[in-house]
Structure formats: structure tokens, C-alpha cells
Amino acid sequence: MNFIENPIYVLTVLALMVLLSLYAAKKKWGKPFGAALLVIVFTAIVANFKLIPSASNSIPLYDVIFGYLAPISIFYLLLGANLKSIKKAGAPMIGLFLIGSLATVLGILASWYLISPQNVLGDDGKILAGMLTGTYTGGSVNFNSVALAYDFQKKGTLYAGAIAVDNVVTAIWVVITIAFPVILRKRFKDKKLSTENRTNELNKESSMDLNSFAWLIFIGLSSFLVSEFVSIWLPSIPSIITLSTIGIVLAQTPFISKLNGSHELGLYLVYLFLAVIGAYCEVGAVVALKEVGLTLLLFTSIAVLIHGLLIIILGGLLFKDWDMISIASQANVGGGTSAIALAETFNRKELILPAILVGTLGNALGTYLGFMVVAIL
């Protein structure tokens, strides 16, 4: 095993990136960016200098973070969910997410006719369009679902190139969704929906103690185990839906509300997840594909840009909450976990649960829209 693939070494580097991003986010120069963006950027730099593995030489540790730590991070954040404070956010967030999903489909179709990727990619182009529609509706689960249906994973180089492009565009979109609410708010004043109890929630501090930590670890692991059993017994129900439901129910009990540190523990795991997103942002893999890579990058970038313009315009007209629009767009393009990071960056804790819910909705909707786009093209 190459030393840079050693899981302890890689995990140490990821933890260092999280630590540096939290430190930098407190400084004057880093505060406008936030820890969520900084951890992606810092880790992307380290990975592109080949100091840790990236997408082309991924290691099992990354799969563990994606497959286990990311879902558990959502569970821990849900333990602080106040159902009363998210009632107003629920309907607007779902509305914005559906607008974003439609914008993704329109963006893919418009980019198809503007770029004509089929001239370079051939018949594989429309399958890739369906895969990208799925992943930019609700995350990478849909990307792989469409790919598996057409045995696209057997097209090694092209499949790997599509993943590399997806990772690069997703990382860039995190940067854009963090930035555009700040920029738009200077020109167009917005109204922040569902801000009741927001000040009290933000000022509520909790310090982790050993008893709380022990209970949180046990409850998190046992709930994850239950969700896995349910997905075996009922394969049609994704484990994340079961895990989220358990988290929401437990959050309403007095015992759980007395445990300290669930929010901090969940947020730290989210930052580890974002660090891996940064590590997967492999610019060299896109460049190595030459014409195919550049065509994919251009096609994908224009599609996501059109998605962004449509959700900003329509969302601005209907809701005019720039933070919420940004979070809904990120739920489309990056999935629920990165949307949570944006809610934290904007100090909109009442939007964490809606972000998770629409992220789950995206997992259900994205695959169908992906197949629909393939059929249309």
C-alpha cells in the first residue's frame, strides 16, 4: 500500500483540513466564505497536489465516509429538529426544490442543443445526459442508478471521466451557492422565511459531556443498524428515510433533548464528508480526457448554470429568500448533506430539516427524471 493511501494518514489530513477551515472561518478574510466552502477548497488543493488520494485512486475510507458517516451526520443533526420552527419552511423549500428539479431538466435539454455533446460522445451522450439529470436533481445515488440501468459503469474511462466532471462542477457550485445570496442581497432586498425562534436556537449552546457522547454514539449506531435491517426487509424504502424518521421522532423526546453535543457531532461529520467532496475535485482527470473531458465539462457547466439562473429568477419572484433558494439549489446539485452545510453557513438552523427532506425527495425523483431525459433525447 502506498503511504498516501494509508487510511490513518488520510483521515489525519482530512481532520486537519476541517480544523484549518474552522480556524480560517473565524478570521476576517475567511468569515465571508464559511467553513463549509473552505474545507472543500483546502482539501481539493491537497488532493490535486497528490498528497492524498482523489477520485481516480479512491480508497475504502472515502466509501466509509460516504456510506456511513454522511447518513449518521444527518441523523445527529435531526436530533435537534424543532418541528414547530420548520413548519413555515417546509412548503416553500419543497416548492423551490421542485422548481430546481424542473430547472435541471430544462438546463440539460438546453445544454444538449447548445453544445451538441452527441457529436463527440455518440450514443453515450444521451445516457450521460440522463445520469447528470439524476445527479443534479438529488445526488450521486441517481447518477449510479441510471448508469447501472444501461451498464454504463463498464465504459471505464468515460464513466470515470463523467464522475470527475461531476465532482468538479459540484464543488464549484458549492462556492457559487454560498456566494450568490450575499451578492444578490446587496442589490435586491429579500425576506427570510420561517425565522421564528431563530435567535434563541442560534444562541443555545451545548457542551459535550462524556455521558451525552456515550449515549449519542450508541443511539446513532443502533438507529443506523435498525435502518439497515428495515432496508433489507423492505428494499423499496431507502435506509436514509428510515434513519431520518427515527431521528425526527427521537428529537421530540425529553431524554434526547437533554443530551448535549448532537449538533456539533453531526456538523463535524458533515465537514468530513465535504472534505472528501473536495478530495474528489480532481481537475487533472478532466484535463486527461482532452476533447471528451472538455465537452463533458462544458455540457455539464452550462446545464447547471441554466439550472441556477432559473431557480434564482423563479424562486426570487415567488419566495425571495436568497438563503433558501441557495439551499434548495444545493440540495438538487449536491444532495442533502451539502445543503445542510449551507444552512449552517447561513445560520439558518430552521432549514436543516427541510434541506434533509428535499434531499430525500431528490433521491426518489432524480432517477425517474434521468430516465425521462434519456427517452426524450
Side-chain angles (χ1 to χ4, degrees), residues 310-355:
L310 288 175
I311 195 172
I312 288 173
I313 293 170
L314 295 176
L317 291 173
L318 294 174
F319 300 104
K320 210 170 183 180
D321 183 336
W322 302 129
D323 291 345
M324 190 180 287
I325 293 169
S326 176
I327 293 166
S329 176
Q330 190 54 230
N332 281 130
V333 175
T337 309
S338 55
I340 292 169
L342 255 67
E344 282 290 342
T345 300
F346 299 145
N347 286 329
R348 299 290 298 274
K349 287 182 169 56
E350 80 277 13
L351 297 182
I352 288 177
L353 179 54

Side-chain angles (χ1 to χ4, degrees), residues 24-87:
K26 294 179 181 179
K27 298 299 179 181
K28 186 176 181 180
W29 63 270
K31 190 173 291 185
F33 302 104
L37 170 57
L38 292 172
V39 73
I40 291 174
V41 173
F42 290 165
T43 315
I45 293 171
V46 170
N48 278 277
F49 276 106
K50 308 297 182 183
L51 298 177
I52 59 172
S54 192
S56 60
N57 59 334
S58 182
I59 57 175
L61 174 65
Y62 292 164
D63 295 330
V64 170
I65 291 174
F66 280 134
Y68 295 96
L69 297 190
I72 289 180
S73 73
I74 292 174
F75 172 81
Y76 284 135
L77 290 172
L78 280 174
L79 291 182
N82 183 337
L83 292 180
K84 292 180 180 179
S85 68
I86 58 90
K87 282 182 180 178

Side-chain angles (χ1 to χ4, degrees), residues 71-119:
I72 289 180
S73 73
I74 292 174
F75 172 81
Y76 284 135
L77 290 172
L78 280 174
L79 291 182
N82 183 337
L83 292 180
K84 292 180 180 179
S85 68
I86 58 90
K87 282 182 180 178
K88 287 186 179 179
M93 181 68 86
I94 292 173
L96 282 167
F97 180 81
L98 293 176
I99 290 172
S101 301
L102 175 62
T104 292
V105 173
L106 295 176
I108 291 289
L109 295 177
S111 185
W112 177 270
Y113 291 106
L114 287 172
I115 304 302
S116 299
Q118 67 273 24
N119 294 339

